[in-house]
């Protein structure tokens, strides 16, 4: 319940409040020489959202779209339709006129596809897997319509030799176990210098053990089977299991044991593909250049972290990472900061002013 209140409910409330303020303060007109540049609503927004943070994912699209002056058709994930239903009721109770916010439930390949293809939709905003994002991008491209994609991640948590190792490892493990690992921006690859590697693995083993009773189930039987499959693949490819494993920790429910792999090499499946479960991989690096190569060595680039004794050292490394968001020494989540991916982690940004501009198009008047 604590996590639900602090994250699943409080974050969307903060995001909605930020857009209420931005709607009132954003410069929708600017003067450039002898022109007036107008930032106008893009029109009808088709929003397709995932199940992992169901209310946040809806608000992160609906709030900026409405603040920009757009209308919205929302297709929530089929696993979590009731959150969207409650949100729609709240929108109606707030007095938003009929037709401004619209809810369509259904399966992704049916309802989602129809929404993405519809000629009346001006922009498709999708959060979910890179595989589905690729399809939506192709559909949108064929229709020459704007698209915003928030896709997968395989984010690196880079612990530089000077860092407070215990803090970096403990926060890193907590980050991966949060929401049972069902977070696209989770730091699922922990990068540690070879001289501190064994110590980091022991710290991670101890930290993971604390989550055994605290971790909730994953969303479905299908997801449980998928995560287990990755754990089995990690073992088969020669990674060393130091915590957890494929066996279910409980008889009932879709539970996965908090799992930690050591001796992971960058080419392994578990170091390249998004698992979307409570599974941490720990990789060793030789020097800073090696760490950077490993950190940037996936198709993804959504988030990440850097730890160092000196903040400037961490920032210098973060500047060289091909990723959309980097936490420095455990920096806090900021609902006003743009969130989104480099490479195959997506197109466009959500949250704050950058998230608002996704839903605007530009017209210039010459005088």
């Amino acid at each position: 319940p604590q996590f639900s209140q602090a994250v699943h409910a409080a974050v969307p409330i903060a995001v909605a409040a930020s857009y209420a303020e931005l709607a009132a303060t954003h410069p929708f007109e600017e003067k450039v020489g002898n022109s007036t540049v107008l930032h106008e609503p893009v029109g009808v927004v088709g929003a397709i959202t995932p199940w992992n943070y169901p209310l946040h994912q809806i608000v992160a699209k609906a709030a900026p779209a409405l603040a920009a002056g757009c209308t919205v058709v929302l297709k929530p994930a089929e696993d979590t339709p009731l959150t969207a239903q409650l949100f729609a009721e709240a929108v109606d109770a707030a007095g938003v006129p009929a037709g401004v916010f619209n809810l369509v439930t259904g399966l992704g390949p049916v309802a989602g596809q129809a929404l993405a293809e519809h000629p009346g939709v001006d922009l498709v905003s999708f959060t979910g897997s890179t595989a589905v994002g690729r399809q939506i991008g192709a559909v949108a491209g064929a229709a020459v319509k704007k698209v915003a994609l928030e896709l997968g991640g395989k984010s690196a948590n880079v612990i530089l030799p000077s860092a407070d190792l215990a803090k970096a490892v403990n926060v890193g493990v907590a980050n991966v176990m949060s929401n049972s690992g069902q977070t696209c921006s989770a730091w699922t690859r922990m990068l540690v210098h070879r001289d501190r590697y064994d110590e980091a693995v022991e710290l991670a083993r101890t930290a993971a053990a604390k989550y055994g009773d605290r971790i909730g189930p994953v969303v479905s039987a299908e997801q449980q089977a998928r995560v287990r499959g990755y754990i089995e693949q990690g073992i088969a490819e020669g990674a060393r299991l130091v915590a957890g494993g494929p066996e279910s920790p409980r008889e009932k429910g879709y539970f996965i044991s908090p799992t930690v792999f050591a001796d992971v090499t960058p080419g392994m499946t578990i170091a390249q593909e998004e698992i979307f479960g409570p599974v941490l991989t720990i990789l060793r690096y030789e020097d800073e250049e090696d760490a950077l190569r490993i950190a940037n060595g996936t198709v993804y680039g959504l988030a990440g972290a850097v730890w160092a004794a000196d903040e400037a050292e961490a920032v210098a490394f973060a500047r060289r990472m091909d990723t959309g968001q980097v936490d420095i020494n455990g920096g806090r989540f900021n609902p006003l900061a743009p969130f989104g991916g480099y490479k195959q982690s997506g197109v466009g940004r959500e949250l704050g002013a950058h998230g608002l501009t996704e839903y605007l198009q530009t017209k210039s008047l010459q005088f």
Side-chain angles (χ1 to χ4, degrees):
Q2 196 180 359
F3 186 76
S4 297
Q5 288 171 352
V7 180
H8 284 281
V11 171
I13 289 168
V15 170
S18 75
Y19 281 115
E21 194 167 318
L22 272 167
T25 58
H26 190 77
F28 291 97
E29 277 189 30
E30 54 181 325
K31 289 269 193 289
V32 181
N34 64 305
S35 303
T36 298
V37 179
L38 310 176
H39 301 282
E40 299 184 337
V42 75
V44 179
V45 172
I48 303 171
T49 58
W51 47 259
N52 59 326
Y53 290 89
L55 183 59
H56 170 67
Q57 306 281 14
I58 291 167
V59 170
K61 297 186 190 309
L66 295 174
C70 298
T71 58
V72 179
V73 183
L74 169 70
K75 203 298 284 183
E78 51 266 31
D79 307 84
T80 52
L82 298 180
T83 303
Q85 179 71 39
L86 288 167
F87 180 75
E89 288 171 16
V91 166
D92 186 51
V96 173
V100 173
F101 175 85
N102 310 273
L103 177 64
V104 176
T105 54
L107 300 175
V110 182
Q113 180 82 7
L115 188 58
E117 286 176 346
H118 198 286
V121 171
D122 300 293
L123 178 150
V124 187
S125 181
F126 169 78
T127 299
S129 71
T130 295
V132 177
R134 204 176 267 119
Q135 291 172 296
I136 286 174
V139 167
V144 197
K145 61 175 76 170
K146 272 187 88 175
V147 67
L149 303 171
E150 291 289 344
L151 309 175
K154 194 73 189 172
S155 300
N157 178 16
V158 182
I159 304 174
L160 294 174
S162 67
D164 177 339
L165 189 68
K167 185 179 180 192
V169 171
N170 281 312
V171 174
V173 170
N175 176 285
V176 173
M177 300 308 159
S178 177
N179 207 41
S180 308
Q182 299 169 128
T183 306
C184 51
S185 54
W187 309 334
T188 49
R189 296 182 298 141
M190 184 181 285
L191 277 54
V192 185
H193 189 269
R194 59 178 182 187
D195 294 346
R196 308 193 74 186
Y197 188 80
D198 294 337
E199 189 188 345
V201 169
E202 281 313 305
L203 285 164
R205 184 206 303 270
T206 306
K210 293 179 206 157
Y211 290 91
D213 302 330
R214 288 164 51 187
I215 204 160
V218 294
V219 72
S220 63
E222 181 189 18
Q223 192 67 17
Q224 183 191 36
R226 177 193 146 95
V227 176
R228 274 185 177 160
Y230 274 115
I231 295 171
E232 284 161 1
Q233 201 165 354
I235 295 166
E237 289 182 16
R240 174 163 60 98
L241 191 65
V242 297
E247 297 78 27
S248 187
R250 305 187 196 188
E251 281 187 22
K252 277 188 170 173
Y254 309 128
F255 287 90
I256 300 277
S257 288
T259 298
V260 177
F261 279 107
D263 302 338
V264 177
T265 57
M268 287 181 183
T269 306
I270 56 168
Q272 287 293 326
E273 295 185 18
E274 183 174 44
I275 297 171
F276 226 64
V279 181
L280 171 67
T281 60
I282 313 181
L283 297 94
R284 66 165 66 67
Y285 65 84
E286 297 293 313
D287 55 27
E288 211 167 292
E289 290 305 314
D290 190 33
L292 188 71
R293 259 195 311 276
I294 296 167
N296 288 341
T298 77
V299 297
Y300 296 114
L302 187 55
V306 185
W307 302 79
D310 175 28
E311 197 173 274
E313 183 192 352
V315 169
F317 190 95
R319 282 180 177 274
R320 300 169 73 195
M321 290 170 76
D322 300 331
T323 192
Q325 193 165 66
V326 186
D327 291 5
I328 305 294
N329 288 332
R332 284 180 305 122
F333 174 74
N334 177 5
L336 293 174
F339 176 84
Y342 281 35
K343 300 190 284 188
Q344 289 182 30
S345 284
V347 176
R349 292 294 178 268
E350 290 197 322
L351 307 181
H354 292 80
L356 182 61
T357 58
E358 291 289 331
Y359 299 94
L360 296 169
Q361 57 189 349
T362 312
K363 176 187 288 174
S364 55
L365 308 179
Q366 272 65 252
F367 295 92

